[in-house]
Amino acid sequence: MTFEKEWAELRSAAAQRSAMQINSAPAEGGGGAGAPDLVVNRDDLGAIGNDAYELRTRLSKDGDHARPATFDAAIALTNGNFASGSAVLKVHDFWQKHLKTLLDSCAHISNHLDYTKAQHAKDDVKIGGDLTSISKLSEYMK
């Protein structure tokens, strides 16, 4: 086999490999048949992140209404030698602990979705750049 013939066969094989189903699912099998099962839209991420932020804002205000009165009641009951004073203080502390956990969770969700939205935009730019260089290679292989 001559160099030219071998080179032509290698180029043909490479062209067939590079013409794989880019931007589509395999025809059959491969776990990708059918519609995509995960779709992420930046607008959806932004809306959910915004909802989490609004929930945190409202919860930080509305979740704290009873705290001062509960604490004052616990102190008054304790000072009045009522056994229930320590129980009311435990309820107060328990509520504060879980309210803080919930507030932190809402903030974490909001921040994570903002980060994810930004990261997807960066990934799209990088993938676009990568595919551009692959398409240039494909042009040279023809």
Side-chain angles (χ1 to χ4, degrees):
M1 178 180 300
T2 67
F3 173 79
E4 295 299 324
K5 186 175 181 183
E6 185 177 350
W7 180 245
E9 286 178 10
L10 289 172
R11 284 183 46 196
S12 174
Q16 287 175 354
R17 281 194 311 269
S18 68
M20 282 194 269
Q21 300 168 355
I22 295 176
N23 203 16
S24 66
E28 290 187 32
D37 58 353
L38 176 63
V39 176
V40 178
N41 296 313
R42 283 187 221 126
D43 293 341
D44 294 340
L45 293 176
I48 295 168
N50 188 54
D51 288 346
Y53 177 78
E54 288 178 7
L55 176 62
R56 185 192 182 287
T57 301
R58 285 185 47 219
L59 191 58
S60 66
K61 178 184 168 205
D62 296 342
D64 199 40
H65 282 306
R67 183 191 50 80
T70 304
F71 185 75
D72 291 345
I75 297 303
L77 288 169
T78 301
N79 290 342
N81 292 323
F82 287 97
S84 59
S86 64
V88 173
L89 188 58
K90 284 182 184 178
V91 168
H92 169 271
D93 293 345
F94 185 81
W95 175 255
Q96 286 306 109
K97 176 183 171 190
H98 288 288
L99 178 62
K100 182 179 180 336
T101 300
L102 186 56
L103 289 170
D104 289 347
S105 296
C106 288
H108 182 72
I109 290 168
S110 177
N111 292 340
H112 179 70
L113 290 173
D114 287 344
Y115 170 80
T116 301
K117 183 178 172 183
Q119 191 61 44
H120 277 293
K122 288 178 187 175
D123 290 346
D124 284 347
V125 169
K126 182 183 182 323
I127 290 169
D130 291 348
L131 289 176
T132 299
S133 40
I134 290 172
S135 66
K136 292 282 186 197
L137 285 174
S138 297
E139 288 177 20
Y140 292 130
M141 297 295 245
K142 290 182 182 178

